[in-house]
Amino acid sequence: MKHDDNLAGEMQRRGVSRRAFLKFGSYVASLMALPPSAAEALAEGLAAARRQSVIWLSFQECTGCTESLTRSYAPTLENLIFDFISLDYHETLMAVSGEAAEKAREAAMAANRGKYIVVVDGSVPMKDGGVYATIGGRTNHQILEDTVKDAFAVVAVGTCAAFGGLPRANPNPTGAVPISTLVGGKPLINISGCPPIPEAMTGALAYVLSFGKLPELDHLGRPKAFFGETIHDRCYRRPFYERGEFADGFDDAGARQGFCLYKVGCKGPVTYNSCATMKWNGGVSFPIQSGHGCLGCSEPDFWDQGGFYRPLSTPLGAMGPALAGAALAGAALGVGAALSARSHQKSYLASAEKEKE
Amino acid sequence: MELLAFARGQALTFSVAVFVLGVLWRLVGVLALPAWRDFSPPREGSAPNWLSAIRAIFRKMIPHRTFLKEGMFTTVNGYVFHFGLGVVVFLFVPHILFLRSLFGVSWPGLPNGVITGVGALTAGSLLVALAYRLTSPVLKLISRPNDYLSWLLTFLPVATGLAATAHVGPRYETMLALHILSVCAFLIWFPFGKLMHAFLFVLSRGATGIRFGHRGAQL
Ligand code: SF4
Ligand code: SF4
């Protein structure tokens, strides 16, 4: 891949107009809620940028994140982002395999030392020396350390990479850890979601490409533009929640009327993501619109929040045994206290009798 | 999320267990005491014990004529926050879902706007109760740390619940966790402090009623 020309020149040769840059700039700016002036800066930045080398590493994951990105229904954005970046290594998407693939990764690293971006999907197993996931005989941990060493920034895509996700779910048999724990001080963006919204991935990448820095992040390292508000904050079913109108099941009268899904386990109130505003499949719909509560997929440990269908306000686990034990112990203590009072009373009465005599 | 998981998990289980243990301990301890021994015959014409007990329980719900005027404000304020707490605790849908998970029964709730309004009124009323306690010379004199702690642990769940709905303070999930944790503190303290009056007031008023009735006095 040639990297010595800037994007504007390269795009021009391929018939992409300056207008397309501007359009893309304003699209990304509006996605990320940037001021209008940023659209032009974004476009300028992109035009002046070199094709960004991206190395995509897949560890303990299901490829859903790649599926989400490549099957995005925003073809202009997706196409453009793939025009703007040079995806030098991606196991699922690259034609070559085996040693040739590894060579491509090494070559890209050597040619773009300190400048390439590492995108990671999947978590890294650390238990037993990391043997639970290896590629070409090397553990995920070794590959990550090696690749990240000379990177400019790391983007952890999907909840597995960002927070450990499914592999890290209780009892975490492989000792899976999120990418953030393994990259030292490297600049890192978490794009969580299971899978993440494609526009959140491309938007964040476009921002880095144009401005050469990370967008504003929340305390979990996620771009505020996409993870600044909860699903509940922007949910179109919110008026039902406020009025106390809830679906009690998935096919009752409430569900048919589109009432709020809180009672059937919706985690929207504690889930930060853009589903309710950007939606999926090119803005067609999102889970709550299709009648299912939010699972909280963009939050840490969403697999272990007591069950997808358990309302948010209920205890996480079964309390029964603990409460039964407490009730027995309490009753026993009560009986004990009463017995001791009775014996006190008895001896008091006996001594009073004696005194009378 | 971690704090919320802790609050919904270990903290809630532990505090509900302490609550159950403590309440049963005290209730069984009182109810299993030997029956009150009559050493003297009851005053002629005095009501049967059960009637004296019931009378006392209900009569005490409004102050005696003599104190009606001075007691009016504290009585009304007391009713406001007691009813307010009842409405907020038992008629807010997320709370009903919590109770349903424990007892398996549920009932209809009220719209959030009503709950928020009642919650704000309750918080205000609790603040007024505290202000009164701090300014009334008599009440101040007889107040103990137990009273202030019981007040605080009642006020905190109301305040944090309101803050969570109004999106003030930290992020919603943190506020929700703090709300649950404040309820945990309330539940743990409940059986051992003055909050236990929620159960014991019936017994203590009844016992007083019986004793007075026995002597022919009407409460
Ligand atoms: S469906 Fe979920 S996100 Fe929407 S209002 Fe109800 S609880 Fe909130
Ligand atoms: S609605 Fe919730 S569970 Fe569904 S994709 Fe969005 S964040 Fe994930």
Side-chain angles (χ1 to χ4, degrees), chain A residues 3 31 62 129 135 140 212 236 313 342:
Chain A
H3 297 291
L31 268 186
C62 69
I135 299 165
N140 286 174
Y236 76 101
S313 64
R342 275 169 191 252

PDB file of all heavy atoms in Angstrom, chain A residues 3 31 62 129 135 140 212 236 313 342:
ATOM      1  N   HIS A   3       1.761   4.995   0.972  1.00  0.00           N
ATOM      2  CA  HIS A   3       1.351   5.903   2.039  1.00  0.00           C
ATOM      3  C   HIS A   3       1.933   7.295   1.875  1.00  0.00           C
ATOM      4  O   HIS A   3       1.822   8.119   2.752  1.00  0.00           O
ATOM      5  CB  HIS A   3       1.806   5.348   3.400  1.00  0.00           C
ATOM      6  CG  HIS A   3       1.166   4.053   3.734  1.00  0.00           C
ATOM      7  ND1 HIS A   3      -0.152   3.931   4.034  1.00  0.00           N
ATOM      8  CD2 HIS A   3       1.687   2.808   3.797  1.00  0.00           C
ATOM      9  CE1 HIS A   3      -0.440   2.660   4.285  1.00  0.00           C
ATOM     10  NE2 HIS A   3       0.668   1.956   4.137  1.00  0.00           N
ATOM     11  N   LEU A  31     -22.890  13.416  13.736  1.00  0.00           N
ATOM     12  CA  LEU A  31     -22.933  12.195  14.551  1.00  0.00           C
ATOM     13  C   LEU A  31     -22.366  12.450  15.934  1.00  0.00           C
ATOM     14  O   LEU A  31     -22.887  11.984  16.943  1.00  0.00           O
ATOM     15  CB  LEU A  31     -22.056  11.110  13.909  1.00  0.00           C
ATOM     16  CG  LEU A  31     -22.659  10.113  12.942  1.00  0.00           C
ATOM     17  CD1 LEU A  31     -21.623   9.077  12.583  1.00  0.00           C
ATOM     18  CD2 LEU A  31     -23.876   9.446  13.540  1.00  0.00           C
ATOM     19  N   CYS A  62     -16.444 -13.045  18.874  1.00  0.00           N
ATOM     20  CA  CYS A  62     -17.344 -13.855  18.053  1.00  0.00           C
ATOM     21  C   CYS A  62     -17.448 -13.317  16.634  1.00  0.00           C
ATOM     22  O   CYS A  62     -18.273 -13.776  15.856  1.00  0.00           O
ATOM     23  CB  CYS A  62     -18.725 -13.885  18.694  1.00  0.00           C
ATOM     24  SG  CYS A  62     -19.555 -12.300  18.632  1.00  0.00           S
ATOM     25  N   GLY A 129      -0.979 -18.818  31.609  1.00  0.00           N
ATOM     26  CA  GLY A 129      -0.029 -18.316  30.620  1.00  0.00           C
ATOM     27  C   GLY A 129      -0.672 -17.911  29.313  1.00  0.00           C
ATOM     28  O   GLY A 129       0.007 -17.749  28.294  1.00  0.00           O
ATOM     29  N   ILE A 135      -2.475 -17.559  18.296  1.00  0.00           N
ATOM     30  CA  ILE A 135      -2.490 -17.431  16.832  1.00  0.00           C
ATOM     31  C   ILE A 135      -1.055 -17.664  16.366  1.00  0.00           C
ATOM     32  O   ILE A 135      -0.129 -16.995  16.858  1.00  0.00           O
ATOM     33  CB  ILE A 135      -2.971 -16.029  16.388  1.00  0.00           C
ATOM     34  CG1 ILE A 135      -4.394 -15.778  16.877  1.00  0.00           C
ATOM     35  CG2 ILE A 135      -2.896 -15.897  14.856  1.00  0.00           C
ATOM     36  CD1 ILE A 135      -4.834 -14.327  16.809  1.00  0.00           C
ATOM     37  N   ASN A 140      -2.438 -14.444  22.618  1.00  0.00           N
ATOM     38  CA  ASN A 140      -3.047 -13.133  22.348  1.00  0.00           C
ATOM     39  C   ASN A 140      -2.286 -12.035  23.077  1.00  0.00           C
ATOM     40  O   ASN A 140      -2.034 -10.954  22.537  1.00  0.00           O
ATOM     41  CB  ASN A 140      -4.497 -13.115  22.821  1.00  0.00           C
ATOM     42  CG  ASN A 140      -5.417 -13.902  21.910  1.00  0.00           C
ATOM     43  OD1 ASN A 140      -6.586 -14.083  22.192  1.00  0.00           O
ATOM     44  ND2 ASN A 140      -4.897 -14.392  20.800  1.00  0.00           N
ATOM     45  N   GLY A 212      -6.132  13.994  14.673  1.00  0.00           N
ATOM     46  CA  GLY A 212      -4.887  13.452  15.195  1.00  0.00           C
ATOM     47  C   GLY A 212      -4.878  13.292  16.702  1.00  0.00           C
ATOM     48  O   GLY A 212      -3.826  13.193  17.330  1.00  0.00           O
ATOM     49  N   TYR A 236     -37.930   6.455  23.254  1.00  0.00           N
ATOM     50  CA  TYR A 236     -39.247   6.986  22.867  1.00  0.00           C
ATOM     51  C   TYR A 236     -40.356   6.386  23.739  1.00  0.00           C
ATOM     52  O   TYR A 236     -41.482   6.864  23.717  1.00  0.00           O
ATOM     53  CB  TYR A 236     -39.503   6.717  21.371  1.00  0.00           C
ATOM     54  CG  TYR A 236     -39.862   5.287  21.089  1.00  0.00           C
ATOM     55  CD1 TYR A 236     -41.185   4.910  20.891  1.00  0.00           C
ATOM     56  CD2 TYR A 236     -38.891   4.304  21.086  1.00  0.00           C
ATOM     57  CE1 TYR A 236     -41.513   3.591  20.678  1.00  0.00           C
ATOM     58  CE2 TYR A 236     -39.209   2.980  20.879  1.00  0.00           C
ATOM     59  CZ  TYR A 236     -40.519   2.621  20.679  1.00  0.00           C
ATOM     60  OH  TYR A 236     -40.847   1.316  20.498  1.00  0.00           O
ATOM     61  N   SER A 313     -34.698  -2.908  39.516  1.00  0.00           N
ATOM     62  CA  SER A 313     -34.838  -2.570  40.936  1.00  0.00           C
ATOM     63  C   SER A 313     -34.905  -3.797  41.833  1.00  0.00           C
ATOM     64  O   SER A 313     -35.165  -3.669  43.021  1.00  0.00           O
ATOM     65  CB  SER A 313     -36.088  -1.708  41.139  1.00  0.00           C
ATOM     66  OG  SER A 313     -37.237  -2.451  40.798  1.00  0.00           O
ATOM     67  N   ARG A 342     -38.228 -14.636  81.315  1.00  0.00           N
ATOM     68  CA  ARG A 342     -39.118 -15.442  82.157  1.00  0.00           C
ATOM     69  C   ARG A 342     -38.379 -15.941  83.405  1.00  0.00           C
ATOM     70  O   ARG A 342     -38.918 -15.899  84.513  1.00  0.00           O
ATOM     71  CB  ARG A 342     -39.621 -16.657  81.383  1.00  0.00           C
ATOM     72  CG  ARG A 342     -40.853 -16.350  80.547  1.00  0.00           C
ATOM     73  CD  ARG A 342     -41.151 -17.493  79.604  1.00  0.00           C
ATOM     74  NE  ARG A 342     -42.152 -17.083  78.635  1.00  0.00           N
ATOM     75  CZ  ARG A 342     -43.412 -17.529  78.660  1.00  0.00           C
ATOM     76  NH1 ARG A 342     -43.804 -18.409  79.560  1.00  0.00           N
ATOM     77  NH2 ARG A 342     -44.282 -17.081  77.772  1.00  0.00           N
TER      78      ARG A 342
END
